[in-house]
Structure formats: structure tokens, C-alpha cells
Amino acid sequence: MTEKPRKLSTEEKRQMRSAARLYAVQALFQMEASGQALDRVAREFETHRFGAVYEDDEMAEGDPGLFRAILEEAVSQQAKIDQMTDRALVAKWPIDRIDPVLRALFRAAGAELVLPATPPKVVITEYVDVARAFFPEGKEPKFVNAVLDHMAREAKPEAF
């Protein structure tokens, strides 16, 4: 007799969504840096990164549905998202001049902003947390907060 999988708690689901966002930023960065296609990178993350153990550190299990949705939207809407990001950046700093990790972060966040499911304030909070994970000592989280606030107001003005 097979055992029914246990139902995930609200907190476990939230953690899986947060992990999916972090993985999406990493995957978008990897796609840009290596020139690899979406499906190849997504499969690598889903089979080798989600829940993997490295030197006694267990990686979080990601929400595969959200992870794929972010990647697919970021790729299919990249021009629109990059233009939205450019409008939120200072004129002297177009998206192609910023740090590639931040570029991947803005693309992932922008993808979620154009998807209907997640409220924009949640998107902003989640990706500021992702920025803190990558830049724990820097000013980047404040920068990310300001840029994403501008992008969110453009993408979903009715939410503000």
C-alpha cells in the first residue's frame, strides 16, 4: 500500500515559493552567462538543485510550478520586462550596465509582476529578500526595493 503524501503547511508552501524565486534568479543568471536554453537550465535545477545536499547543507525544495512560470514569463516577456526595468532605473544606468545578478533578479521579479497570481507588494518583499541573500552587506536591497516599487506601480497601478 502506498502512503499518501502529507499535506504541506502554509509555511512550507511559502518557503517553497521563496526558494523557487531564488532559484529562478540563479537560473536566469546561468542562462545569460552560459547561453543555455530555458528547458535545459530548468531541468538541471529541478533535478539537481531542488532539495539537494551540498557538504551537509540541504538546499530548500522549490515550488516547481512557480519556478517554471517565472522562467517562462521572464524569457517570453524579456523585452517588455527590460523596458519596464529601464524606466525604473536612473537614465545613466540602462539594464545592460547593471550587475548580471540584479539583471536576473529584475527579470524574475518583472515576470511575477506581469503574472496575475502574486500581489505586487509580496513580489517586492520577496525579491528584496533575494537581494539580501546575494548582497548581505551591500546597498543593493534598497536599490532593488526602489526599482521594484517603480516597476510594480507601472505593471499593476490598481494595487497601489
Side-chain angles (χ1 to χ4, degrees):
M1 196 161 118
T2 57
E3 203 176 296
K4 235 171 70 174
R6 72 177 182 83
K7 191 162 168 48
L8 296 171
S9 71
T10 303
E11 179 57 20
E12 286 170 319
K13 288 178 187 173
R14 189 196 65 72
Q15 288 175 350
M16 286 177 73
R17 286 190 303 272
S18 293
R21 291 176 177 108
L22 180 74
Y23 291 141
V25 171
Q26 292 173 325
L28 288 166
F29 174 85
Q30 182 175 325
M31 287 166 58
E32 181 178 342
S34 69
Q36 293 174 315
L38 183 149
D39 280 338
R40 180 175 177 187
V41 172
R43 269 195 312 276
E44 176 190 324
F45 272 77
E46 291 163 349
T47 57
H48 299 299
R49 306 254 181 122
F50 285 28
V53 178
Y54 299 103
E55 298 171 14
D56 298 328
D57 282 339
E58 186 173 348
M59 304 303 287
E61 195 60 55
D63 176 328
L66 178 60
F67 173 73
R68 279 279 180 159
I70 293 169
L71 289 185
E72 288 170 4
E73 197 69 20
V75 169
S76 71
Q77 299 291 323
Q78 182 176 324
K80 176 183 177 179
I81 292 165
D82 285 357
Q83 290 166 0
M84 201 165 55
T85 305
D86 273 341
R87 287 190 290 275
L89 293 167
V90 178
K92 291 181 218 139
W93 289 101
I95 193 165
D96 59 345
R97 285 193 57 204
I98 64 170
D99 181 281
V101 173
L102 289 176
R103 193 165 43 245
L105 185 149
F106 290 138
R107 287 176 177 156
E112 260 200 278
L113 287 170
V114 298
L115 289 168
T118 311
K121 290 178 182 175
V122 172
V123 173
I124 293 168
T125 301
E126 286 286 320
Y127 285 97
V128 167
D129 287 347
V130 170
R132 279 193 195 101
F134 285 111
F135 306 100
E137 305 296 320
K139 295 178 178 163
E140 290 86 351
K142 287 182 179 169
F143 174 65
V144 165
N145 186 62
V147 171
L148 291 182
D149 183 69
H150 190 282
M151 290 172 68
R153 288 172 191 278
E154 178 181 330
K156 294 186 177 167
E158 70 284 356
F160 292 89

